[in-house]
Amino acid sequence: VIILPDSLVLEIFLHLPHDVVLRAGLTCRQWLAVSRDEFLWKELFYSYYHIPRSVPRHPAAISWHREFKRLFDCIPCVEVQTLKEHSDQVLHLAFSHRGHRFSSCSKDCTVKLWDTEQTDGNISLVHSSSMRQFNWGYTQFSQFNADDSLLLVSGVYLGPHHSSSGEIAVISLENYTLLSRVRNKPYDVFGCWLNETHLISGNLHWIGNMTSCSVLWLNKAFQDIESENVNVVKRLFKIQNINASTIRTVMVAHCRRHNNPDLLLDYEAQSQARRLKGQQQKHHQPLLFDLGTSGSEEEEEEEQDAEEEPNHREARGSARPIETHVAKVMGRAHTKTPDCSLIQPESEDGEDKTYLLFTTGSLTYSPHQIGIKLIKPDQMTTSGPVLGEERSSDEFFDSLDHVIDIHGHIIGMGLSPDHRYLYVNSRAWPTGCVISDPMSPPPIAEEIDLHVIDLKSLREERRSLRAHRAFTPNDECFFIFLDVSRDFVASGAEDKHGYIWDRHYNICLARLAHDNVVNSVAFSPADQELLLSASDDNTIKVWRSPRMVRLAHTAARPPRPRSLLPSWLSRHKSVGSVNGKP
């Protein structure tokens, strides 16, 4: 028998696919040892996943072999169940913080609650609430509060003149009773929880054809008997919009873990980043845009808003630039200065900041910027003046503390579990385009860019992720919800697929097929190897990793009987055959 040296076996294995290497390792002990060589799996890893050599191994990885196996075996890409209880397009999915429940919203105007902890491993429906009795057109978004006792449900309200008004409902998860309803305009503000008992909603008032005022309100989820004398609502911010833009898609980021994130993404040019850090802290200024303002107050009636709104996009001619110019001039004199603490270096103990994030714009009506406001501790409850902190008579509006320009139509946002990174779906504008008419935004790309924003440095991190696509034009564009787990990020798309990327390596790992547009995806916070996807094909699909599927099959397989007689007969037969007996 000729025994090849280990170096030659390794050279041969380097030219084989990974699955062939694994099978070859079962041949003998020598080949098994070589098939587990770290250099071999490092080479197989970079070549198989097409990762640049400059990208280091995941900081939590133990070995190259295990890291290859993680990306190959722990991605939730195996369809294990299809839920068909919705009768129309499914728009959004949201998990509870414990991962034991999730909710779904749909064009059938219901919000449904599902249980993920069934003994058989399947997901089952536990409750369904229809919102049609409140004159809703459909439900579009939901979110569990921090202790999973309340569910925020956002929907589109079919009010007078089919305006853009929406509503937010709060449902108790103890007995599924409706606790409160809050106006929300425009409806794609969606709404979000600030803490366990308070939620944020929006309102919109048109001041002119192209100029409006967005008001963000803090609402108590329910009125306690003990707190009858405490405000139920309080105004958080009042912000001027120009060029037909509005504030949409609000979400809250708690920055208490920014210095200790689950996964740090800035592995590229780390030494250079450290050298530049001091310069950035000295010279970096917030990217602010002039926000026009007007002396008009916000206490307008809903009927007036509904009548004014359909006209604002019909304005044409020279009134547009004049109105925008006047709004900008007044804005310089009547808008509060931004909070500079947002971009100042953090203290050593890591100050716990809370950011309000939202989409906005300054050039056109399509959302193309991310606005950030710092929420102060005294703004966390509805106690105090209903209209918020005292302000001088000249300060009609709040400024944005920071603005990040995406240069494209934003169609989705999602936070990492540690709230360190913001992931943004956008469809890019052509390079070098100039917007001369706010009502005619540039054409948008079919490719969706997935940007990564570091909320500690307030800058974009790495290059954008790509793979997913969308096809609707500017005026028909809709939200594509994404979700982020510890190691992965996933998104829907209009190309009838969901997508999963690895956050560390910036590579696309899986495509999840549906029969129509995929509107939303959601990772279980308790197990990132469980993923849900919702589609216009009226279904919710449940995806698990190959590893979890194998474990489930092994657990479901009945144990083989361990009888001594068959084992003894088998051994006796073998001995008889060796001795020449029949």
Side-chain angles (χ1 to χ4, degrees):
V1 178
I2 300 177
I3 299 177
L4 300 177
D6 288 354
S7 59
L8 182 55
V9 175
L10 177 61
E11 185 64 29
I12 294 172
F13 282 5
L14 285 170
H15 293 82
L16 299 177
H18 70 278
D19 54 338
V20 176
V21 170
L22 291 174
R23 288 198 298 270
L26 302 177
T27 304
C28 63
R29 291 183 178 181
Q30 181 204 16
W31 286 17
L32 177 62
V34 175
S35 70
R36 297 300 176 91
D37 184 85
E38 273 292 276
F39 175 77
L40 169 65
W41 283 102
K42 179 180 179 180
E43 296 301 306
L44 290 174
F45 184 89
Y46 280 113
S47 61
Y48 181 81
Y49 291 110
H50 303 288
I51 298 173
R53 298 280 175 157
S54 59
V55 178
R57 193 173 71 189
H58 191 290
I62 299 175
S63 69
W64 285 106
H65 175 258
R66 290 195 179 185
E67 187 67 350
F68 191 107
K69 188 176 181 181
R70 178 182 73 85
L71 296 188
F72 194 83
D73 212 28
C74 299
I75 309 300
C77 58
V78 180
E79 181 184 342
V80 295
Q81 192 177 357
T82 301
L83 308 174
K84 301 180 179 180
E85 281 78 353
H86 280 291
S87 60
D88 208 333
Q89 300 170 359
V90 188
L91 303 180
H92 183 253
L93 301 165
F95 265 101
S96 64
H97 293 83
R98 281 176 46 203
H100 68 302
R101 295 277 179 91
F102 73 87
S103 57
S104 58
C105 294
S106 168
K107 283 285 186 74
D108 64 14
C109 207
T110 67
V111 55
K112 298 185 187 297
L113 286 162
W114 310 79
D115 184 8
T116 66
E117 295 183 337
Q118 296 293 307
T119 54
D120 61 359
N122 287 325
I123 289 173
S124 62
L125 179 67
V126 294
H127 180 75
S128 179
S129 293
S130 174
M131 305 302 290
R132 290 204 187 277
Q133 58 181 313
F134 305 113
N135 204 26
W136 285 25
Y138 54 89
T139 59
Q140 60 171 350
F141 174 83
S142 60
Q143 186 182 49
F144 290 79
N145 71 338
D147 64 1
D148 294 334
S149 62
L150 303 174
L151 183 69
L152 177 155
V153 183
S154 175
V156 178
Y157 178 67
L158 298 179
H161 306 286
H162 299 285
S163 69
S164 63
S165 292
E167 263 194 346
I168 296 172
V170 178
I171 297 175
S172 168
L173 295 178
E174 181 180 358
N175 52 17
Y176 305 116
T177 57
L178 180 65
L179 299 179
S180 62
R181 289 162 57 202
V182 177
R183 179 189 180 192
N184 193 40
K185 182 178 181 180
Y187 57 77
D188 50 4
V189 168
F190 293 116
C192 66
W193 291 104
L194 176 60
N195 50 43
E196 290 184 359
T197 55
H198 294 81
L199 60 100
I200 297 173
S201 65
N203 205 349
L204 179 68
H205 307 283
W206 287 99
I207 300 171
N209 288 322
M210 308 289 290
T211 310
S212 64
C213 166
S214 288
V215 183
L216 298 174
W217 292 91
L218 183 65
N219 308 268
K220 206 156 188 283
F222 53 88
Q223 182 76 32
D224 291 328
I225 298 176
E226 296 82 3
S227 59
E228 291 180 350
N229 296 323
V230 177
N231 298 330
V232 179
V233 299
K234 183 171 74 175
R235 185 174 68 192
L236 276 179
F237 304 113
K238 180 180 178 182
I239 298 171
Q240 175 85 18
N241 306 309
I242 61 172
N243 286 327
S245 64
T246 62
I247 285 178
R248 314 175 189 183
T249 319
V250 297
M251 60 177 57
V252 172
H254 299 285
C255 307
R256 64 180 67 95
R257 291 182 57 200
H258 276 194
N259 291 329
N260 185 28
D262 294 330
L263 179 65
L264 195 61
L265 297 181
D266 55 349
Y267 54 72
E268 297 172 345
Q270 290 182 354
S271 59
Q272 181 181 0
R274 283 193 293 268
R275 289 194 300 270
L276 294 176
K277 185 176 181 181
Q279 301 175 14
Q280 290 174 347
Q281 291 174 349
K282 291 179 181 179
H283 304 295
H284 181 63
Q285 296 294 327
L287 177 59
L288 296 174
F289 292 80
D290 292 326
L291 300 177
T293 155
S294 162
S296 174
E297 284 299 315
E298 64 188 313
E299 288 75 20
E300 301 170 304
E301 295 296 326
E302 165 65 14
E303 290 78 9
Q304 294 176 348
D305 284 340
E307 291 174 0
E308 293 172 3
E309 181 182 349
N311 298 323
H312 83 275
R313 289 191 179 179
E314 297 175 3
R316 293 291 185 268
S318 61
R320 287 180 184 172
I322 294 175
E323 178 184 325
T324 300
H325 176 72
V326 171
K328 286 183 176 181
V329 170
M330 294 187 67
R332 294 188 183 99
H334 299 294
T335 300
K336 294 179 65 177
T337 56
D339 192 323
C340 296
S341 65
L342 191 72
I343 58 170
Q344 290 176 348
E346 293 187 9
S347 59
E348 292 296 325
D349 57 356
E351 182 184 357
D352 184 6
K353 295 181 180 179
T354 300
Y355 295 162
L356 181 65
L357 313 174
F358 45 83
T359 63
T360 182
S362 63
L363 304 176
T364 179
Y365 69 83
S366 63
H368 55 277
Q369 294 170 334
I370 298 167
I372 304 178
K373 284 292 295 180
L374 180 67
I375 302 178
K376 299 176 181 178
D378 61 348
Q379 295 176 303
M380 295 290 185
T381 69
T382 54
S383 60
V386 173
L387 297 183
E389 63 182 28
E390 296 295 330
R391 63 182 74 200
S392 69
S393 58
D394 291 333
E395 294 177 334
F396 301 128
F397 297 99
D398 298 288
S399 64
L400 304 187
D401 295 331
H402 194 75
V403 174
I404 299 173
D405 204 316
I406 299 299
H407 195 74
H409 192 131
I410 299 172
I411 59 170
M413 296 200 303
L415 285 165
S416 61
D418 53 21
H419 288 200
R420 170 68 183 265
Y421 298 98
L422 176 68
Y423 286 75
V424 182
N425 268 335
S426 79
R427 297 174 60 185
W429 291 336
T431 303
C433 67
V434 177
I435 301 176
S436 56
D437 182 357
M439 302 313 299
S440 299
I444 51 179
E446 289 188 353
E447 294 81 10
I448 301 175
D449 292 325
L450 186 50
H451 303 265
V452 187
I453 309 295
D454 187 341
L455 292 180
K456 184 177 181 180
S457 64
L458 297 178
R459 61 181 175 83
E460 187 164 355
E461 189 75 39
R462 303 187 182 179
R463 59 180 174 82
S464 301
L465 304 175
R466 274 192 175 181
H468 48 333
R469 298 170 67 87
F471 310 105
T472 50
N474 258 312
D475 54 350
E476 299 176 16
C477 220
F478 54 86
F479 220 68
I480 299 289
F481 292 97
L482 58 94
D483 197 27
V484 189
S485 71
R486 186 190 67 234
D487 295 315
F488 308 126
V489 56
S491 174
E494 291 184 39
D495 58 11
K496 303 181 182 181
H497 288 85
Y499 291 83
I500 303 175
W501 294 264
D502 183 83
R503 292 178 58 199
H504 176 75
Y505 298 109
N506 267 29
I507 55 173
C508 184
L509 296 169
R511 298 170 76 233
L512 315 174
H514 272 269
D515 294 331
N516 211 323
V517 172
V518 178
N519 296 305
S520 178
V521 292
F523 286 102
S524 167
D527 179 9
Q528 65 177 354
E529 295 181 44
L530 168 61
L531 177 74
L532 307 171
S533 58
S535 172
D536 278 358
D537 62 15
N538 305 354
T539 69
I540 301 169
K541 288 190 176 184
V542 183
W543 308 84
R544 295 189 184 271
S545 67
R547 185 182 74 90
M548 293 302 296
V549 171
R550 285 199 311 273
L551 290 175
H553 288 169
T554 302
R557 186 183 305 152
R560 298 196 320 198
R562 300 185 58 83
S563 172
L564 294 178
L565 183 60
S567 177
W568 180 84
L569 288 174
S570 176
R571 290 200 304 271
H572 181 71
K573 184 177 180 180
S574 300
V575 173
S577 299
V578 171
N579 294 331
K581 297 180 181 179

